[in-house]
Amino acid sequence: MIESLHSPHVGRVKALIGSKGAKERREQGLFVAEGVQCAREALTSSNGPQLKILYATENGLSKISELDFGSVEIVEVSDAVMKAMSDTVSPQGLISLCYKPESTFSELGATGRSTFIYLHEIQDPGNAGTILRTADAMGISAIITSPDSVDMFSPKVVRSTAGSLWHIPVYEGVAFDRVEKQFPGIKKFLLSSHARTSILDLTIPGDCIAIFGNEARGVSAADLGVEVTEVTIPMAGRAESLNLSAAASIVMFTLSSKVAG
Amino acid sequence: MIESLHSPHVGRVKALIGSKGAKERREQGLFVAEGVQCAREALTSSNGPQLKILYATENGLSKISELDFGSVEIVEVSDAVMKAMSDTVSPQGLISLCYKPESTFSELGATGRSTFIYLHEIQDPGNAGTILRTADAMGISAIITSPDSVDMFSPKVVRSTAGSLWHIPVYEGVAFDRVEKQFPGIKKFLLSSHARTSILDLTIPGDCIAIFGNEARGVSAADLGVEVTEVTIPMAGRAESLNLSAAASIVMFTLSSKVAG
């Protein structure tokens, strides 16, 4: 059991979740997922990020004792070490050090009923994680992010996804012209508060991609350099706009019922 | 202009947003709303929380210079004082000290097409604020919270509402039996992942109330002591559940289109 706060394990985990974590994660190809839900997914999912080391306190291990640990490297740590490694106020006693999945955008295919989400320069980790989680629930095929979007493997995003990173593929840093080139005929629509077409009236003839812009600035067709259908969420009330993840949840739900229906 | 960090104004604002803020807000009947959006609403809305004092830096005032300040007490403060008063990392230079609205639940009426939201022991301020904001956008009639729910006038909730506190009435700490007594015939439905009825199949014959439970524990009909219709959000994908505010957004959107349609 590791009890020393000076252990290199502690330094490694802290580096991956710290202020320079994005650079560390990119260079090392690793990220950190905290909590029971992520440990469960990491141990049982055949898809998604592969587990490198599971750091666990005795209490943490007791929460997943029914699982088969297989050949996973488990490193037991003291409560104090767990606290030092953790990004949360009340650690659950389980930290999964995982390999960042290597997803190559050029290998992403479409089935004719694929639904993709494109996040353009999204910054808020809570929004990004919640969108990914809802996307998973709604059966979205993949999440694609633009350059200069929030790192989808940062601790706050990972926490907000509640394990969905193991269910839905993520392609990061993809400029929109690459999407356009790879899926030339795809139905593209963009959420805009100025649009006249309601998402309820949208028809989805085949593959489609829903585009969401930055929380403050949004995104326009001109920014993307392509023609898109602008759509809006019909609102009976008075708020000027919705929180981004609330808006995205409504769009994905509508999309999901249209594709299924 | 106030430049001293020892000014009683600074102490008062800090007390209202600090760790004992809930008690202070209750006792003083005041709360603090930061930012341009809230200052605008506080200055221009005839409904909602009334403004007592607007604390502003020179820069903050320049952002709302087109507004009529009427008889509002404006207290100019230095950047350092604003920073000390602020709950955010990058203050926008405007802090509205407002009276908590006195909303008496027994005076809440229903029109026959009213839609209410009931939050049962919700804890997360971001969820609560986002739900209130979406409720405003979707034309929900009022938000009602149970005892032991998050304080809807805490700084994080207020920030997440993005000004919607001025558009939609909030009734806090109302036990569900009071709702039941006040609106005996109302259609009650509760979001539950185990339910068989899809929200899409729900019919809303008149007034209705949608109930959302605590983030971790949810809420059951037994907890509420009444009969309710349990409904679920149809999900094509694999996530076990949605984030509470995402789920609530989808429900309110569906509700809004049913009531409007």
Side-chain angles (χ1 to χ4, degrees):
Chain A
M1 164 152 28
I2 298 179
E3 294 184 316
S4 165
L5 297 178
H6 302 294
S7 156
H9 286 287
V10 177
R12 166 144 81 169
V13 169
K14 283 176 83 167
L16 287 166
I17 62 173
S19 59
K20 290 176 184 162
K23 185 165 169 279
E24 291 286 332
R25 291 189 291 274
R26 203 166 45 238
E27 287 178 5
Q28 298 191 37
L30 294 168
F31 75 101
V32 170
E34 268 203 70
V36 179
Q37 223 160 2
C38 287
R40 248 177 230 287
E41 294 291 345
L43 283 164
T44 58
S45 294
S46 48
N47 295 318
Q50 294 299 298
L51 188 58
K52 181 177 164 69
I53 299 175
L54 179 64
Y55 296 102
T57 60
E58 200 184 327
N59 181 257
L61 276 182
S62 73
K63 296 176 185 169
I64 51 167
S65 56
E66 82 285 6
L67 296 181
D68 179 9
F69 297 148
S71 57
V72 167
E73 184 181 353
I74 296 181
V75 174
E76 268 202 71
V77 302
S78 68
D79 289 345
V81 165
M82 178 56 64
K83 211 173 163 62
M85 283 179 162
S86 172
D87 186 51
T88 61
V89 182
S90 315
Q92 299 183 319
L94 292 165
I95 288 182
S96 307
L97 179 67
C98 301
Y99 294 101
K100 278 182 71 173
E102 291 186 19
S103 38
T104 309
F105 181 66
S106 59
E107 292 169 6
L108 175 62
T111 63
R113 301 196 79 172
S114 295
T115 52
F116 303 124
I117 298 296
Y118 187 81
L119 304 179
H120 190 263
E121 298 179 10
I122 301 273
Q123 297 307 315
D124 183 83
N127 277 340
T130 301
I131 290 173
L132 196 143
R133 182 173 171 188
T134 306
D136 176 21
M138 296 301 156
I140 299 294
S141 315
I143 300 275
I144 305 161
T145 72
S146 74
D148 300 320
S149 284
V150 62
D151 180 349
M152 297 298 278
F153 296 90
S154 67
K156 280 190 189 165
V157 174
V158 173
R159 203 155 55 235
S160 305
T161 63
S164 287
L165 268 177
W166 276 267
H167 300 160
I168 182 168
V170 175
Y171 299 87
E172 289 191 292
V174 180
F176 200 79
D177 57 357
R178 288 178 60 199
V179 177
E180 177 71 3
K181 205 176 264 176
Q182 191 149 321
F183 304 109
I186 197 167
K187 173 99 173 177
K188 297 174 282 286
F189 60 91
L190 185 154
L191 193 66
S192 155
S193 50
H194 314 297
R196 288 194 196 160
T197 307
S198 159
I199 50 160
L200 292 173
D201 299 328
L202 204 62
T203 52
I204 315 283
D207 303 316
C208 72
I209 184 161
I211 302 157
F212 300 99
N214 172 275
E215 287 87 347
R217 295 185 307 275
V219 63
S220 69
D223 294 335
L224 300 169
V226 294
E227 272 190 37
V228 299
T229 305
E230 295 200 347
V231 293
T232 190
I233 296 176
M235 297 187 205
R238 284 158 300 180
E240 284 167 40
S241 70
L242 292 165
N243 162 283
L244 177 67
S245 66
S249 296
I250 291 169
V251 169
M252 289 189 275
F253 173 68
T254 308
L255 202 59
S256 166
S257 57
K258 279 180 188 286
V259 171
Chain B
M1 162 150 29
I2 297 179
E3 293 184 316
S4 165
L5 297 178
H6 303 293
S7 156
H9 287 286
V10 178
R12 167 145 80 169
V13 169
K14 283 175 85 166
L16 287 166
I17 62 174
S19 59
K20 291 176 184 163
K23 185 164 168 281
E24 291 286 333
R25 291 189 290 273
R26 204 165 43 238
E27 287 178 4
Q28 299 191 35
L30 295 167
F31 75 101
V32 170
E34 267 203 72
V36 180
Q37 223 160 1
C38 287
R40 246 177 232 287
E41 295 291 346
L43 284 164
T44 59
S45 294
S46 48
N47 296 317
Q50 293 300 298
L51 189 58
K52 180 176 165 70
I53 300 175
L54 179 63
Y55 296 102
T57 60
E58 201 184 327
N59 181 257
L61 277 183
S62 73
K63 295 175 185 169
I64 51 168
S65 55
E66 82 285 7
L67 296 181
D68 178 10
F69 298 148
S71 58
V72 168
E73 185 181 354
I74 297 179
V75 175
E76 268 202 70
V77 302
S78 67
D79 290 344
V81 166
M82 178 55 65
K83 212 172 162 61
M85 282 179 163
S86 171
D87 186 52
T88 61
V89 183
S90 315
Q92 298 184 321
L94 292 164
I95 288 183
S96 307
L97 179 67
C98 300
Y99 295 101
K100 277 183 72 173
E102 291 186 19
S103 37
T104 308
F105 181 66
S106 59
E107 292 168 6
L108 175 63
T111 63
R113 302 195 78 173
S114 295
T115 51
F116 303 123
I117 298 297
Y118 187 80
L119 304 180
H120 190 263
E121 298 179 10
I122 300 273
Q123 297 308 314
D124 183 82
N127 278 339
T130 301
I131 289 173
L132 196 142
R133 182 175 172 189
T134 306
D136 176 21
M138 295 303 155
I140 299 296
S141 315
I143 300 275
I144 306 161
T145 71
S146 74
D148 300 321
S149 283
V150 63
D151 180 349
M152 296 299 277
F153 296 90
S154 67
K156 279 189 190 166
V157 174
V158 173
R159 205 155 53 237
S160 305
T161 64
S164 287
L165 267 178
W166 276 268
H167 300 160
I168 182 169
V170 175
Y171 300 87
E172 290 191 293
V174 180
F176 200 78
D177 57 357
R178 288 179 61 199
V179 177
E180 177 71 2
K181 204 176 267 177
Q182 191 148 322
F183 304 109
I186 197 167
K187 173 99 174 177
K188 297 175 281 286
F189 60 92
L190 185 155
L191 193 66
S192 155
S193 50
H194 314 297
R196 288 193 195 162
T197 306
S198 158
I199 49 161
L200 291 173
D201 299 329
L202 203 61
T203 53
I204 315 282
D207 302 315
C208 70
I209 185 161
I211 302 157
F212 300 99
N214 172 275
E215 288 87 349
R217 298 185 304 275
V219 62
S220 69
D223 294 334
L224 299 169
V226 294
E227 272 190 36
V228 299
T229 306
E230 295 199 347
V231 293
T232 191
I233 296 175
M235 296 188 206
R238 284 157 300 179
E240 284 168 37
S241 69
L242 292 165
N243 162 281
L244 178 67
S245 65
S249 296
I250 291 169
V251 169
M252 290 188 275
F253 173 69
T254 307
L255 202 59
S256 166
S257 57
K258 278 180 188 288
V259 172

